Amino acid sequence: MRILFSTFVALFVYSLSYGQGGSARVAFIDMEYILKYTPEYTEASAQLSTRADEWKKEVETKKAQIKKLKDNLAAERILLTRDLIEDKEEEIANLENDLYQYQQTKFGTEGDYMSQKVMLAKPIQDEVFSVIQDIAEARKFDYVLDKNSESTMLIGASRYDISDLVIRRMASAKRKQNMTPKQVAAVEQKEREDDAIALRQSRRDEQKKRKEEAERQLKAEGKAQKQQSSSGNTDTSSNQSMLDAAKRAQEEQIREAEEKRKQAELDRKQKIETQKQILLQQQKDNEEKKRLNEENKKKLQQEKQNELLDQQKKIQKEQEERERKINEEKERKRQEALNQQNNGKNEAFEKLLEQKRKEDEQRRSEAERKQQEAAQRKQQQIEAAIKEQEERRKKNEREQEERKQRIIEQRKELERQAQERTNK
């Protein structure tokens, strides 16, 4: 009787362990926490913040200059001719447009600040991913998540957080650069031993949980058997029937465990296939996004060229209109001068007329100079914008090619893992 009962317990524990086997091993990291304790990133971020402060000061200086011009125009408007008012308003509009372009170039969604911030984080992230890959391979993690990524992770126990381990491994990788080959080998051996110890401890914890679950169920079975025995049914045939029933129940549990294992394997394969489909869809989306970006870039360049032509035509038209008004004003003043000359005021009026003519010539030349400078600034801005867009396009192509390569490597890794699980 005791032998049969011991056999039943052993089979029960085995089936429970067998049914619980094959569960995925998961860990997670906190990328923001890792970047915070990376000296290179913090130093570069401080430099970028200093640069951004300088850009903000430049913006405030330009705003103050525009405000001063507006205030002066408001105070002198009553004393100025309509042509001078229009010239000053055009100058203010050009400065405001320059300010807007400067802000977009420095702080826009595709400006210098955002692009440089991404460039600062990317090398650190690549290093983190490399370290994570080594840790996952050594400690047999199936998944490593980022709690700050777009995928939602509601809760995670601290024992699954490997952020500190990643930071230590990154620091160790930097120290290895100044070590001898023998010292590097010793450090790597120590890391492998730590990984092995952690893996064994993790497996012991899993086995402990399975054992506790088996003991809990075993106690429940023993309690049920005691209650059945206390009813007075003590003959051998009843005990044999109980053992037969326990054996059948054990066989049923083993069969259910086998079905669960097969179902888990099927679910794992389905997840891998789903991830493949997601990667393929992401690749298609990236290609479509690249095509749309190319079309938008060409369209934007064409629009800017058309805008430049329209502005040049407008400036030319305004200049012709201004010259016409100046000529009309000269003719009117000449007629007035002739009339005054007839009244005996030749000399004084000639001086006044000459002074007015010089002033008009000076204002006209100043207005033409400002218009030419504004047109040149516009042309330089457009050329700089086109050049910057071309550089961003090339950069995006390089990044998309790198992402594409990583996607292909991930897909190969998933297929390899699926093949290994299938072989197991």
Side-chain angles (χ1 to χ4, degrees):
M1 179 64 182
R2 290 181 178 178
I3 295 174
L4 290 174
F5 187 73
S6 301
T7 303
F8 168 73
V9 172
L11 289 173
F12 182 78
V13 173
Y14 170 77
S15 66
L16 183 63
S17 301
Y18 186 74
Q20 294 289 331
S23 59
R25 288 173 52 78
V26 181
F28 68 89
I29 63 166
D30 187 345
M31 182 60 76
E32 291 184 0
Y33 175 80
I34 293 173
L35 293 176
K36 179 181 177 182
Y37 287 94
T38 303
E40 294 85 351
Y41 180 77
T42 54
E43 182 179 354
S45 297
Q47 294 177 358
L48 180 59
S49 298
T50 303
R51 202 173 308 157
D53 292 337
E54 294 176 355
W55 294 338
K56 290 177 181 178
K57 290 179 181 178
E58 184 68 20
V59 169
E60 294 300 325
T61 302
K62 291 178 180 291
K63 287 182 178 179
Q65 181 182 1
I66 293 172
K67 185 177 184 301
K68 183 179 179 180
L69 290 175
K70 287 183 176 180
D71 293 340
N72 292 338
L73 177 59
E76 299 173 355
R77 182 181 291 270
I78 194 171
L79 304 174
L80 300 175
T81 63
R82 186 173 63 179
D83 292 339
L84 288 176
I85 292 174
E86 290 177 355
D87 291 341
K88 289 184 178 293
E89 288 178 344
E90 183 178 357
E91 181 183 2
I92 292 172
N94 291 334
L95 289 175
E96 287 178 338
N97 187 42
D98 293 343
L99 174 59
Y100 174 76
Q101 294 294 335
Y102 183 82
Q103 288 176 321
Q104 290 298 315
T105 302
K106 299 302 182 183
F107 299 103
T109 55
E110 296 182 358
D112 294 342
Y113 182 79
M114 294 301 298
S115 60
Q116 291 183 24
K117 187 174 182 180
V118 172
M119 290 173 61
L120 287 176
K122 190 176 184 305
I124 308 300
Q125 289 175 340
D126 292 342
E127 184 179 358
V128 171
F129 292 151
S130 177
V131 172
I132 289 173
Q133 187 176 4
D134 294 339
I135 294 173
E137 183 178 356
R139 301 199 177 190
K140 308 301 180 186
F141 289 123
D142 297 304
Y143 303 97
V144 179
L145 308 176
D146 182 6
K147 66 183 295 185
N148 296 312
S149 65
E150 294 180 356
S151 58
T152 303
M153 186 173 68
L154 299 179
I155 190 171
S158 59
R159 64 177 178 275
Y160 299 119
D161 188 354
I162 61 172
S163 301
D164 291 327
L165 177 60
V166 172
I167 294 173
R168 290 197 299 271
R169 290 294 170 86
M170 291 173 64
S172 176
K174 291 182 177 62
R175 289 196 300 270
K176 289 177 185 177
Q177 297 176 358
N178 300 323
M179 293 182 179
T180 63
K182 185 175 181 180
Q183 291 173 333
V184 171
V187 172
E188 291 177 350
Q189 179 64 26
K190 180 65 169 57
E191 290 176 352
R192 286 193 294 269
E193 291 176 356
D194 293 341
D195 291 335
I197 292 172
L199 180 60
R200 287 195 298 270
Q201 182 62 39
S202 177
R203 287 177 174 173
R204 282 197 295 268
D205 293 340
E206 292 178 0
Q207 292 174 356
K208 183 179 179 181
K209 290 181 181 179
R210 294 172 185 170
K211 182 178 179 182
E212 291 175 353
E213 181 65 19
E215 290 177 352
R216 184 183 63 79
Q217 294 186 7
L218 183 61
K219 288 180 181 179
E221 290 288 339
K223 185 177 180 180
Q225 290 177 359
K226 286 182 180 180
Q227 291 177 353
Q228 186 176 2
S229 299
S230 62
S231 63
N233 187 9
T234 58
D235 59 8
T236 305
S237 60
S238 298
N239 291 335
Q240 186 64 37
S241 299
M242 183 184 65
L243 291 174
D244 292 340
K247 184 177 181 181
R248 287 193 299 271
Q250 181 61 35
E251 291 174 351
E252 181 66 20
Q253 288 178 352
I254 294 173
R255 185 181 62 80
E256 290 178 357
E258 179 66 19
E259 290 178 355
K260 289 181 179 179
R261 187 188 66 80
K262 291 180 179 179
Q263 185 63 35
E265 184 67 23
L266 180 61
D267 292 341
R268 189 179 295 108
K269 290 181 179 179
Q270 290 177 351
K271 288 180 180 178
I272 293 173
E273 187 64 28
T274 302
Q275 290 177 349
K276 288 181 181 179
Q277 296 297 329
I278 292 173
L279 292 174
L280 291 175
Q281 185 63 35
Q282 288 178 348
Q283 184 177 357
K284 291 179 180 178
D285 292 342
N286 290 333
E287 292 176 354
E288 180 66 18
K289 188 181 294 183
K290 179 181 177 181
R291 185 183 65 80
L292 292 176
N293 288 335
E294 287 290 335
E295 293 178 356
N296 292 333
K297 183 180 72 67
K298 292 179 180 179
K299 183 178 179 182
L300 182 61
Q301 289 177 351
Q302 186 63 35
E303 289 177 353
K304 287 190 175 182
Q305 290 177 356
N306 294 335
E307 182 181 356
L308 179 61
L309 293 175
D310 293 339
Q311 288 179 352
Q312 290 176 349
K313 291 179 181 179
K314 183 179 178 182
I315 291 172
Q316 184 177 0
K317 185 177 179 181
E318 290 176 352
Q319 185 175 359
E320 292 175 354
E321 181 68 18
R322 190 176 293 107
E323 289 178 354
R324 184 184 64 81
K325 290 180 180 179
I326 290 172
N327 292 332
E328 291 177 354
E329 184 69 17
K330 284 182 178 180
E331 183 64 24
R332 184 182 64 79
K333 290 181 179 180
R334 189 178 67 82
Q335 291 295 333
E336 290 178 356
L338 290 175
N339 293 333
Q340 291 180 2
Q341 184 178 4
N342 294 331
N343 295 329
K345 298 180 180 179
N346 280 343
E347 186 177 354
F349 186 74
E350 284 294 333
K351 291 182 180 180
L352 180 61
L353 183 61
E354 182 65 21
Q355 183 180 357
K356 289 289 185 180
R357 186 184 65 80
K358 289 181 179 180
E359 291 177 354
D360 291 339
E361 287 292 333
Q362 184 178 1
R363 286 196 294 269
R364 185 168 62 84
S365 61
E366 182 68 18
E368 290 177 354
R369 183 184 63 79
K370 290 181 179 178
Q371 288 177 354
Q372 291 176 357
E373 290 177 353
Q376 290 176 357
R377 286 198 299 271
K378 286 285 185 180
Q379 181 65 25
Q380 291 174 357
Q381 290 174 359
I382 290 173
E383 292 176 353
I386 292 173
K387 182 178 179 181
E388 184 179 359
Q389 287 179 355
E390 183 65 20
E391 292 176 354
R392 289 176 182 167
R393 182 184 67 79
K394 292 180 180 179
K395 177 184 174 182
N396 290 332
E397 288 178 354
R398 290 195 300 270
E399 291 180 350
Q400 288 175 359
E401 185 65 25
E402 292 174 357
R403 285 197 296 268
K404 183 178 179 182
Q405 189 64 29
R406 285 199 298 269
I407 288 172
I408 292 173
E409 292 176 357
Q410 290 176 358
R411 184 169 61 186
K412 290 181 180 179
E413 181 64 17
L414 289 172
E415 291 176 353
R416 184 184 66 77
Q417 293 179 1
Q419 185 64 33
E420 290 179 356
R421 293 191 181 97
T422 303
N423 294 336
K424 290 180 179 181

